[in-house]
Amino acid sequence: EEAIFQLQQIFRIDISIALNILGIESMRAGHCRIGYTCFKLAADRGYSKAQFNVGLCYEHGRGTEKDLEKAAFYYCQAASNCHPMAQYRYGRYLLQHSPGQHWHSQHRALTLLERAAMAGITEAQAYLGVLYMRGLQPQEKKGLEYLLQAANHGDAQSKYHVGVCYEQGLGVQQNLAEALRQYREAAVAGNRHARERLR
C-alpha cells in the first residue's frame, strides 16, 4: 500500500510538471487560453509553480479575465507551498489591498516579503528596502541592508536608492564619493533618476 501511495504521488507530481511545461510553451506560442487551462489543471493538483502561473494569468488577464482577488488567491496557495516569487507577490498584494491595513495582514505581508528576500528574490529585497526607508516608522539601517542586497543583484533602482542613502546619510555615515559611485552604476544600468542626480 505504501509503494502504491508513493507511485501515485510521483505520478501526480509528474503530470503537474508536464501540464505546467505545456502551459509555459502554450503561452510562448501565443495560445494564452490553452496555457491558462494547463496551469489551472496543474494548480488544482497542488503544484506551486502552476499556482503561481495561474496567479500571473489572473493578474495580467492572460488566457482568462483579469481578477486581482483570484490572482491573490493563487499567489497565497503558492506562497503557502514556499514559492518565493509568490510570497513576494502575495505579500505586496496584502500591503496594497488589505482593507483598513490591519496589523495582522501587515505582519503576514512583511513575513512573506522577508522570506522571499531571504530566498534571493531581488524584487522583494528592493520593495522591503524602500518600505523600511519610507515607512511610518522608518528603519533606515534595515532598509539599507535590503537595498544593498537588491543592488548587489544588479537592480538599478536599488543602486540609485543606495546612492541617496550615502548622499543623505540615511542608515549609514554620509559618503559623497560612495553616493557618486552608486549613482554612476545606476545610470549605466539605465536609471534616469540617477542620471538626473549626477547632473
Side-chain angles (χ1 to χ4, degrees), residues 6-82:
Q6 292 297 327
L7 283 172
Q8 287 172 334
Q9 292 297 100
I10 291 168
F11 182 71
R12 195 188 86 193
I13 291 168
D14 285 349
I15 293 289
S16 300
I17 292 170
L19 284 167
N20 193 58
I21 292 169
L22 281 172
I24 292 168
E25 293 304 317
S26 296
M27 286 289 182
R28 285 185 183 147
H31 305 297
C32 295
R33 185 71 188 163
I34 294 169
Y36 163 78
T37 302
C38 290
F39 292 147
K40 182 85 168 59
L41 288 168
D44 291 344
R45 293 170 172 268
Y47 188 52
S48 64
K49 290 181 180 179
Q51 291 166 340
F52 174 73
N53 287 332
V54 171
L56 286 175
C57 288
Y58 278 119
E59 183 177 355
H60 300 290
R62 296 193 67 202
T64 187
E65 74 281 356
K66 193 172 187 174
D67 188 326
L68 289 182
E69 285 184 22
K70 286 182 180 176
F73 172 79
Y74 282 98
Y75 288 149
C76 177
Q77 285 189 327
S80 297
N81 289 321
C82 301

Side-chain angles (χ1 to χ4, degrees), residues 94 98 101-111:
L94 286 175
S98 292
Q101 296 294 310
H102 295 295
W103 179 88
H104 180 19
S105 290
Q106 286 182 339
H107 180 71
R108 184 168 182 212
L110 284 175
T111 300

Side-chain angles (χ1 to χ4, degrees), residues 147 151-152 154-164 182-183 185-186:
L147 287 173
N152 289 335
D155 184 60
Q157 185 69 18
S158 293
K159 284 183 182 294
Y160 163 74
H161 286 302
V162 169
V164 171
Q182 293 290 336
Y183 288 146
E185 287 182 13

